[in-house]
Amino acid sequence: MDIEKNIEGYVRHLGQQARRAARQMANTDSNTKNQALRHIADNIRSQALAILEANRRDLAAAAANGLAPAMIDRLTMTEKSIQQMATGIDQIAELADPIGEIQELRRRPSGIQVGRMRVPLGVVGIIYEARPNVTADAAALCMKTGNAAILRGGSEAIDSNRTLAGLIAKGLAAAGLPATAIQLVETTDRAAVGHLITMREYIDVIVPRGGKGLITRLLNEARIPMIQHLDGNCHVYLDDEADAAMAVKIVENAKTQRYGTCNTAESLLVARSRAADLLPAVAAMLLDNGVEIRGCAETRAIVKEALPASEEDYATEFLAPIIAVKVVAGLDEAIEHINRYSSHHTESIVTGNYDKALRFLREVDSSSVMVNASTRFADGFEYGLGAEIGISTDKIHARGPVGLEGLTSQKWIVLGTGQIRS
Amino acid sequence: MDIEKNIEGYVRHLGQQARRAARQMANTDSNTKNQALRHIADNIRSQALAILEANRRDLAAAAANGLAPAMIDRLTMTEKSIQQMATGIDQIAELADPIGEIQELRRRPSGIQVGRMRVPLGVVGIIYEARPNVTADAAALCMKTGNAAILRGGSEAIDSNRTLAGLIAKGLAAAGLPATAIQLVETTDRAAVGHLITMREYIDVIVPRGGKGLITRLLNEARIPMIQHLDGNCHVYLDDEADAAMAVKIVENAKTQRYGTCNTAESLLVARSRAADLLPAVAAMLLDNGVEIRGCAETRAIVKEALPASEEDYATEFLAPIIAVKVVAGLDEAIEHINRYSSHHTESIVTGNYDKALRFLREVDSSSVMVNASTRFADGFEYGLGAEIGISTDKIHARGPVGLEGLTSQKWIVLGTGQIRS
């Protein structure tokens, strides 16, 4: 097929192949899936040089096209990152297989026994940007959960992704599984994405991994459910009864450990009764770390280095050494502010008060809500999921860090001995 | 506001009110929610005459507009159905409150304790056709789960629905809850539906309850996740090792107990080795019940009354005393046929063989899969959910009968004692 002349036909063809492969993957036992994963990890290790060469071609093209340094950074693979990729796949092979797990088989008054069995979703479409490691990672998670996947990586990484996809296909075939279980979209034409996100008959769910621009486009155009990840405008609230040392430690970790991650704190709220006491030490720590402080009038009265914060600052995911600070009357205003400005990703309260801790946990409407812990913990590995396909800021199907379970569904099973309904 | 002149503004206004009410509902304790439910049930009982009068106005208009008898049947309320409606609401008040339930608080190596807390979805949009009892039913389920709801009933039932919505609003207010927690769309203009299913900022999920035409339209136009219910083309498969008496009994119940329900069997598959033995008794029972049999050539060789089945018959939800019958080689062909033609609602195998029972349970890709039981059991009450907002044929979020849990989400909670990420 001449892909470029018939993008829609090409994507449809991928979809049909994926649907067929998904049926076989759903009925594949754990050992065979794990064998395929280990073959892929081995292939990646033994072909590290070929992967690096392909990546160098992508990097050369990226440099020629004047790609932004941040993008080039995300595109770049190293010997070490390739080894980590292989190790990650071996680790997914080690995880318990969620498929087939039966939950709560309960006997009903009619005599039937009713429960739920965990099953794959079917075909997963993954749309992502520059990082080529997503190719291996997403493929492994979909295989483990008995799904088929269609991967659409960024055009900048096409050579790296093609090489990885070839090694994945080989690993699948070596275990006797259909190579079409994991397919890469081979064209960089953006029209392919448009078809991918509307072919409901072939794709069951879309997992977007990328910037806000990508997600917003997909949200508007998709006709397929998404496990979406929007931005992370996370908050730390220092309550009237916060421990001062803990407050500094948690704000430092939440804000300064990494600036570019979605679970990094972008806003700090401080209870009025403690502003004069807590803000000087917190601000000194932030300024020491080179963080720009944008504060409300009360904050600036205490922290002279603070710039004025605009309304928009409170709604911004800076992904940079900048923090918005606001003094609030207390818990009620903090919760109200968070539920209004947050992207509903992750929020943390620092408090020694039991009732306020409980109210914060209950009333803050975000995918992760914490007491006396850094927002940086919002992560599939830290939560013990063993893996992470993304962090959902949605409430439907999966919320917060999404592990293997998010790539599965549960069907009902009924065990009878001839019962009929009366 | 002049609703008819600015439908979009009107629906937006409903959305804003619902969003505000949802915040309050989410933090309302179980007792208050249950009080409101009991007030509503009492209001319905004490105002039964007013409801009947409103319903009579709807019925008169329906007759004047030449509405189909089946629609008029679904629209008709009686003293008895009103009492049942009130009892249903009292029963929902009796159910355990799922909101706030915390699951599996596990300690992680970092020292934090991680678990999930059940929370409301937020604002639920319910779009339904003639049956006015859905108004009370859906309102009660959304209230119990701490959600707000916007209800869009069929235009035929507008007077009945308005009366019920008034009684619901009164019940909410009597318990000190916002009357806007449950709002009825007061215009019958179809444009309102278009706005309702695209206002992502105000509505979190759409639950459609209605015919295939409605659902297909919503699927194409909605920009909001749906808990959808498509058609029910359910199968019974009589395996080589089926008990003959059980086979007749289960097919009779699955096909003939009620013709118009989505869990009624529409297709019957019979293993070739047992066709001559099982089909005569099964066919005699079906014909006795006035069911038309449409069969494959092998079926017709055994059952002379059978008409020829077309390809389309195997894909049809008849909702009528008609059944499509096919003789298959055995389990493999049965599973293949079902996964191809079924609407993935409910399927049942009749067999005494352990391995085949297990394979059928695992390999049939439907929301309910049964062994030796009637497909008619696929129902929220029969499964012990206590209530049912619908039956999802989708795999995302909720699959099969959807009870209170389907109207909730789980957020992550983290209990720390000052932990930071290393």
Side-chain angles (χ1 to χ4, degrees):
Chain A
M1 180 184 300
D2 186 340
I3 297 175
E4 304 301 333
K5 281 204 182 129
N6 182 3
I7 304 272
E8 183 178 353
Y10 168 65
V11 175
R12 186 170 295 280
H13 176 68
L14 292 179
Q16 287 162 341
Q17 294 202 118
R19 182 59 79 206
R20 250 195 310 272
R23 288 206 192 96
Q24 193 175 337
M25 291 299 286
N27 296 317
T28 297
D29 61 76
S30 308
N31 278 344
T32 309
K33 290 188 289 190
N34 292 340
Q35 264 170 33
L37 289 169
R38 295 208 178 88
H39 282 305
I40 293 170
D42 289 344
N43 292 346
I44 287 174
R45 272 186 283 261
S46 68
Q47 295 298 309
L49 275 181
I51 299 170
L52 277 178
E53 263 169 43
N55 189 246
R56 260 181 239 124
R57 288 195 297 275
D58 284 333
L59 286 170
N65 292 330
L67 210 66
M71 286 289 269
I72 290 193
D73 185 53
R74 298 172 62 206
L75 177 57
T76 306
M77 301 178 83
T78 62
E79 188 111 21
K80 195 179 155 204
S81 74
I82 291 171
Q83 292 303 322
Q84 283 172 341
M85 189 190 288
T87 307
I89 296 172
D90 276 334
Q91 282 167 352
I92 290 171
E94 292 299 323
L95 293 176
D97 187 345
I99 300 304
E101 181 188 288
I102 295 173
Q103 198 186 319
E104 297 170 354
L105 262 175
R106 291 195 179 129
R107 197 174 292 277
R108 298 288 308 149
S110 61
I112 60 172
Q113 213 169 0
V114 180
R116 287 197 263 191
M117 182 191 279
R118 200 167 284 287
V119 292
L121 287 177
V123 179
V124 182
I126 316 235
I127 300 174
Y128 52 106
E129 290 173 338
R131 281 184 213 279
N133 66 314
V134 174
T135 305
D137 208 28
L141 291 170
C142 290
M143 283 169 59
K144 181 79 186 191
T145 44
N147 291 292
I150 300 178
L151 309 176
R152 172 51 150 86
S155 53
E156 321 77 28
I158 188 75
D159 262 347
S160 314
N161 287 339
R162 269 193 193 130
T163 306
L164 287 168
L167 300 172
I168 292 166
K170 260 192 181 164
L172 282 161
L177 292 175
T180 48
I182 307 292
Q183 298 176 97
L184 182 74
V185 176
E186 293 270 357
T187 170
T188 57
D189 192 316
R190 291 190 65 180
V193 173
H195 297 303
L196 209 54
I197 62 178
T198 50
M199 283 194 182
R200 206 158 47 213
E201 62 274 45
Y202 301 121
I203 300 177
D204 297 289
V205 67
I206 294 284
V207 180
R209 291 179 60 162
K212 205 173 174 177
L214 172 71
I215 313 274
T216 307
R217 176 192 166 196
L218 297 184
L219 268 178
N220 286 326
E221 296 178 17
R223 291 291 168 283
I224 298 175
M226 282 211 289
I227 297 175
Q228 62 176 301
H229 173 309
L230 270 164
D231 48 344
N233 177 18
C234 303
H235 294 69
V236 176
Y237 166 55
L238 306 180
D239 178 56
D240 306 83
E241 291 168 65
D243 175 86
M246 193 192 289
V248 174
K249 197 174 81 162
I250 286 181
V251 174
E252 177 167 37
N253 188 255
K255 180 65 223 179
T256 74
Q257 198 200 18
R258 283 181 68 186
Y259 293 115
T261 55
C262 60
N263 53 21
T264 295
E266 306 289 10
S267 272
L268 172 68
L269 305 176
V270 186
R272 182 160 297 134
S273 73
R274 298 294 299 286
D277 154 30
L278 296 175
L279 269 179
V282 170
M285 174 278 296
L286 289 167
L287 294 165
D288 264 5
N289 278 285
V291 176
E292 178 183 314
I293 300 174
R294 301 186 185 170
C296 63
E298 285 179 75
T299 302
R300 280 180 291 132
I302 298 167
V303 183
K304 65 176 190 331
E305 296 88 346
L307 305 172
S310 69
E311 177 79 5
E312 214 194 308
D313 284 328
Y314 291 115
T316 299
E317 181 184 28
F318 297 112
L319 297 172
I322 305 170
I323 193 165
V325 182
K326 190 176 166 68
V327 174
V328 295
L331 183 66
D332 283 320
E333 192 184 341
I335 293 174
E336 208 179 293
H337 180 98
I338 291 171
N339 285 342
R340 175 163 174 202
Y341 290 99
S342 163
S343 65
H344 309 292
H345 190 295
T346 300
E347 334 291 344
S348 183
I349 185 175
V350 182
T351 189
N353 182 290
Y354 171 81
D355 291 321
K356 288 182 185 168
L358 215 52
R359 274 198 59 204
F360 192 85
L361 287 176
R362 287 182 177 156
E363 297 181 26
V364 170
D365 182 26
S366 293
S367 76
S368 287
V369 188
M370 305 181 169
V371 179
N372 295 341
S374 168
T375 56
R376 289 276 298 129
F377 281 114
D379 173 275
F381 292 92
E382 291 293 339
Y383 282 4
L385 303 181
E388 183 184 288
I389 186 90
I391 296 185
S392 167
T393 50
D394 211 337
K395 293 182 186 175
I396 305 297
H397 188 66
R399 195 173 187 195
V402 182
L404 294 177
E405 198 183 293
L407 294 173
T408 68
S409 176
Q410 286 182 304
K411 69 182 178 192
W412 293 90
I413 60 171
V414 172
L415 307 183
T417 50
Q419 282 82 2
I420 58 169
R421 190 161 164 192
S422 55
Chain B
M1 179 183 302
D2 186 341
I3 297 175
E4 305 301 333
K5 280 203 184 130
N6 182 2
I7 304 272
E8 184 177 353
Y10 168 64
V11 175
R12 185 169 299 278
H13 176 70
L14 292 180
Q16 287 161 341
Q17 295 203 115
R19 182 59 79 207
R20 249 195 311 273
R23 288 206 192 97
Q24 191 176 337
M25 291 299 285
N27 296 318
T28 298
D29 61 76
S30 309
N31 277 345
T32 310
K33 292 188 288 189
N34 293 339
Q35 264 170 32
L37 289 169
R38 293 208 180 88
H39 282 305
I40 293 170
D42 288 345
N43 292 346
I44 287 174
R45 272 186 282 261
S46 68
Q47 295 298 311
L49 273 180
I51 300 170
L52 277 178
E53 262 168 44
N55 188 245
R56 258 180 241 126
R57 287 195 297 276
D58 284 332
L59 285 169
N65 293 331
L67 209 67
M71 287 287 270
I72 290 193
D73 185 52
R74 297 173 62 208
L75 177 58
T76 306
M77 301 178 82
T78 62
E79 188 111 21
K80 195 181 156 201
S81 73
I82 291 171
Q83 292 302 323
Q84 283 171 340
M85 189 189 288
T87 307
I89 295 172
D90 277 333
Q91 282 166 352
I92 290 170
E94 292 298 322
L95 293 176
D97 187 344
I99 299 306
E101 180 189 289
I102 295 173
Q103 197 185 317
E104 297 169 354
L105 263 175
R106 291 194 181 130
R107 199 174 292 276
R108 297 288 307 148
S110 61
I112 59 172
Q113 212 167 0
V114 181
R116 287 196 263 191
M117 184 191 276
R118 199 165 285 287
V119 292
L121 287 177
V123 179
V124 182
I126 316 233
I127 301 174
Y128 52 105
E129 290 174 336
R131 279 185 214 279
N133 64 312
V134 174
T135 305
D137 208 27
L141 291 169
C142 290
M143 284 169 57
K144 181 81 187 189
T145 46
N147 291 292
I150 300 178
L151 310 175
R152 172 50 149 88
S155 53
E156 319 78 30
I158 188 75
D159 262 347
S160 313
N161 287 339
R162 268 191 194 134
T163 306
L164 287 169
L167 299 172
I168 292 167
K170 260 191 182 166
L172 281 160
L177 292 174
T180 48
I182 306 292
Q183 297 175 99
L184 182 74
V185 176
E186 291 271 358
T187 169
T188 57
D189 193 315
R190 291 190 64 181
V193 173
H195 298 302
L196 209 54
I197 61 179
T198 51
M199 285 193 181
R200 208 158 44 212
E201 62 274 44
Y202 300 122
I203 300 177
D204 297 288
V205 66
I206 295 284
V207 180
R209 291 179 61 163
K212 205 173 174 175
L214 172 71
I215 314 274
T216 307
R217 176 192 165 194
L218 297 184
L219 269 176
N220 286 325
E221 296 179 18
R223 291 291 168 284
I224 298 174
M226 281 212 290
I227 298 176
Q228 61 176 301
H229 174 309
L230 270 165
D231 48 343
N233 177 16
C234 304
H235 293 71
V236 175
Y237 167 55
L238 307 179
D239 178 57
D240 307 83
E241 292 168 65
D243 176 86
M246 193 192 289
V248 174
K249 197 173 81 164
I250 286 181
V251 174
E252 177 167 35
N253 188 256
K255 180 66 223 179
T256 74
Q257 198 200 17
R258 283 181 68 186
Y259 293 114
T261 56
C262 59
N263 53 20
T264 295
E266 305 289 10
S267 273
L268 172 67
L269 305 175
V270 186
R272 183 160 296 133
S273 73
R274 300 292 300 285
D277 153 30
L278 295 175
L279 270 180
V282 170
M285 174 277 295
L286 289 168
L287 294 166
D288 264 5
N289 278 285
V291 176
E292 178 183 313
I293 300 173
R294 300 186 186 172
C296 63
E298 285 180 75
T299 302
R300 281 179 291 132
I302 297 166
V303 182
K304 65 175 191 332
E305 295 87 345
L307 305 172
S310 69
E311 178 77 6
E312 215 195 306
D313 285 329
Y314 291 116
T316 299
E317 181 183 30
F318 297 112
L319 297 171
I322 305 172
I323 194 166
V325 182
K326 190 177 165 72
V327 174
V328 294
L331 183 66
D332 284 320
E333 191 183 339
I335 292 175
E336 208 180 294
H337 179 97
I338 290 171
N339 284 342
R340 177 162 173 204
Y341 290 100
S342 164
S343 64
H344 309 292
H345 190 296
T346 300
E347 334 291 343
S348 182
I349 185 176
V350 181
T351 189
N353 183 289
Y354 172 81
D355 291 321
K356 288 183 184 167
L358 216 52
R359 275 197 58 205
F360 192 85
L361 286 176
R362 287 181 178 156
E363 298 180 27
V364 169
D365 182 26
S366 293
S367 74
S368 288
V369 189
M370 305 180 169
V371 179
N372 295 341
S374 167
T375 56
R376 289 275 298 131
F377 281 113
D379 173 274
F381 293 91
E382 291 294 337
Y383 283 5
L385 303 181
E388 182 184 288
I389 187 90
I391 296 185
S392 166
T393 51
D394 211 335
K395 292 181 187 176
I396 305 297
H397 188 69
R399 195 173 189 197
V402 182
L404 295 177
E405 198 183 293
L407 294 174
T408 68
S409 176
Q410 285 182 306
K411 68 182 178 193
W412 293 91
I413 60 171
V414 172
L415 307 184
T417 51
Q419 283 82 3
I420 58 170
R421 190 162 164 190
S422 55

